[in-house]
Amino acid sequence: MNVITIVCDTLRRDHVGAYNLGRPLNQCGSEAAPNWRLPMPNMDRLIERGTVFDNAYIGSTPCMPARRDIYTGRLEFLERGWGPLEEDDYDLPRQVSGAPNRSIRQSMQKNDPISCLLTDHFHLWEQGSGNYHMGYSGFEFIRGIESDGLYTDPIEFACPPGDLMGKNERHWRNVHFIRQSDEDYFCAQVCQKAADWLTRNHTHENFFLHLDIFDPHEPWDPPEDILKIFDPIGYDIEGLRAAAPYDLWRLHYTEEQFLNMRARYAAKVVFLDRWLGKVFDALDDLKLWEETLVILTTDHGTWNGDHGRMGKLGTHQYDGCSHIPFIACHPTEGHGERRKQLIQLVDLYPTILESVGRPLPPRNESKPLHGVNLLPLFGDAYSPTRDCALMGMFGKSVSITDGEWTLHQSPVANNQPLYWQGYHLARFINYDLGPFSEGRRPVKNCKSWDEPTSLHNRRDDPSESMNISHREPEQLLRMQTLLRDELVRLRAPEWQIKRLGV
């Protein structure tokens, strides 16, 4: 069976039709959301053909930690933060295709699956991560988004004043040279490249195509005609950068600016949906649905006014960031059905390997596989997965849900003991690291989110706006015990249990 995975960065669950069911966003979990309906005809195409997973969650966050979860089948945030693949990682593309230094002809003669990465995601290349493309049989990087240093020409170009001294200045400089029409937007290029690759490569046996699309991550710069669907002002508004502040929005925006930024995000999602149609059209034309597992998901969501915030980070992994869309279209099973089981991004690893006919690599006691093979769920609505989902960002609070209750456990006051496991340094998101000894570095002066431990009942409070830990001491203790037991089951470092006070 072929596999196509589509990971769209920073895609909120409530913006996807499989979850909002055509309702206004403010009727989909968070009353703080706008009252818009989003036209999403192409993602909607997956609803009848696919299986909608209602309880899909992130693991490690943000962007690159989530990808290491996908590439290794293990939760990265329990051991370190944002970083590259390491030499002892059994990274997914190499497990699919074998050594990438072989010729394509050799792979075909051995009937090994061909793998390909198509992406505009600059984080995969920049310092601090930088090597996620190396295991694929082939890859193509669409240049120019965000801080990609593509053009350096000393010229004048259109750039929001707030972006002139930040990394997005490079984005606008690149856009000046690249963008002449909608086809030149970065997600459009990735989707068109994917359709072209499928046309040329669909006869490969059991191929794996991975699309890593940066949209709808910031910069939020959609075509203005789509933006005006949600805010008639369009770009005729002053004082806005193209990125959210990752903070309480009232500290940065007026009401008018806040509406416009949310409109930009919604327009980004609608534009992404338009171009995903190119990929799905190619699957139609080539009749590939009948022999391909297609998975659409994201690395995390983002705040859209919930908890008074914009952007991701800054607080616990509340529902708006942690509860993600996940739709999978199996060739023959589970069509038009929904599943309630708890699943996570680490589950992609064993699911993809099983689908393309490759074995799981050997594991040692200290680094077990955390992912669960999802293939049985398509034919069996009651197939078990896990009792709880664990998620977080390295050095911050840790969240756990059993599907009904969610606990966000803050660390003890000094956030110690805390270690960075592995020999790589913290490059992209800096941590104060001590000397390397016995496979790890002590982490000093690491402040967690400025939030107390909180407990929420998802049935009564889906947006997790009410902390009821003081009213439910028995449930709090039960969830803290569950957290401790899950850390032990996953063979997390023992210091995590001490740091979290459980």
Side-chain angles (χ1 to χ4, degrees), residues 171-408:
H171 173 84
W172 294 111
R173 186 183 297 273
N174 297 335
V175 163
H176 173 80
F177 287 96
I178 294 170
R179 191 175 293 167
Q180 304 298 321
S181 66
D182 284 2
E183 288 79 7
D184 300 322
Y185 278 75
F186 300 108
C187 76
Q189 293 187 61
V190 175
C191 291
Q192 186 60 62
K193 293 281 187 184
D196 295 342
W197 188 92
L198 288 170
T199 300
R200 301 192 314 270
N201 288 271
H202 68 277
T203 57
H204 278 304
E205 190 75 21
N206 296 350
F207 64 76
F208 170 44
L209 174 62
H210 183 56
L211 307 184
D212 195 331
I213 302 175
F214 202 51
D215 278 356
H217 192 291
E218 309 97 313
W220 292 339
D221 60 342
E224 190 170 28
D225 63 315
I226 306 179
L227 172 58
K228 286 185 174 180
I229 296 173
F230 304 103
D231 187 356
I233 293 176
Y235 286 112
D236 189 18
I237 185 171
E238 295 183 354
L240 291 181
R241 302 170 56 218
Y246 290 17
D247 200 351
L248 298 170
W249 68 264
R250 291 187 183 277
L251 300 178
H252 303 269
Y253 296 144
T254 65
E255 292 278 355
E256 183 182 50
Q257 291 172 327
F258 177 52
L259 172 67
N260 190 263
M261 287 300 284
R262 292 198 293 182
R264 293 185 192 195
Y265 176 79
K268 264 261 186 175
V269 176
V270 170
F271 185 68
L272 167 66
D273 180 81
R274 288 186 183 180
W275 284 95
L276 285 175
K278 285 282 185 182
V279 182
F280 302 154
D281 289 346
L283 290 167
D284 289 340
D285 295 342
L286 299 167
K287 297 181 172 53
L288 282 173
W289 295 103
E290 291 78 11
E291 54 194 54
T292 306
L293 174 65
V294 179
I295 299 173
L296 173 73
T297 189
T298 187
D299 52 355
H300 49 70
T302 186
W303 311 130
N304 194 29
D306 23 10
H307 300 274
R309 309 191 72 91
M310 282 289 286
K312 48 194 172 283
L313 308 185
T315 188
H316 296 316
Q317 300 304 317
Y318 291 118
D319 194 83
C321 268
S322 64
H323 198 184
I324 57 174
F326 194 106
I327 308 171
C329 303
H330 188 277
T332 59
E333 298 178 320
H335 294 180
E337 299 179 3
R338 303 184 83 97
R339 296 290 183 265
K340 300 295 184 183
Q341 290 91 331
L342 289 167
I343 68 169
Q344 295 193 260
L345 290 177
V346 287
D347 299 336
L348 287 171
Y349 185 96
T351 302
I352 291 167
L353 289 180
E354 174 73 17
S355 298
V356 298
R358 298 293 259 171
L360 291 174
R363 297 277 176 171
N364 59 44
E365 286 286 317
S366 64
K367 299 187 74 169
L369 182 70
H370 295 159
V372 175
N373 180 10
L374 301 180
L375 284 182
L377 273 72
F378 296 104
D380 180 2
Y382 301 99
S383 182
T385 55
R386 53 173 51 80
D387 296 327
C388 56
L390 196 68
M391 51 216 149
M393 180 176 174
F394 177 78
K396 309 296 184 181
S397 61
V398 173
S399 303
I400 188 169
T401 184
D402 62 3
E404 181 179 359
W405 292 86
T406 300
L407 169 70
H408 305 288

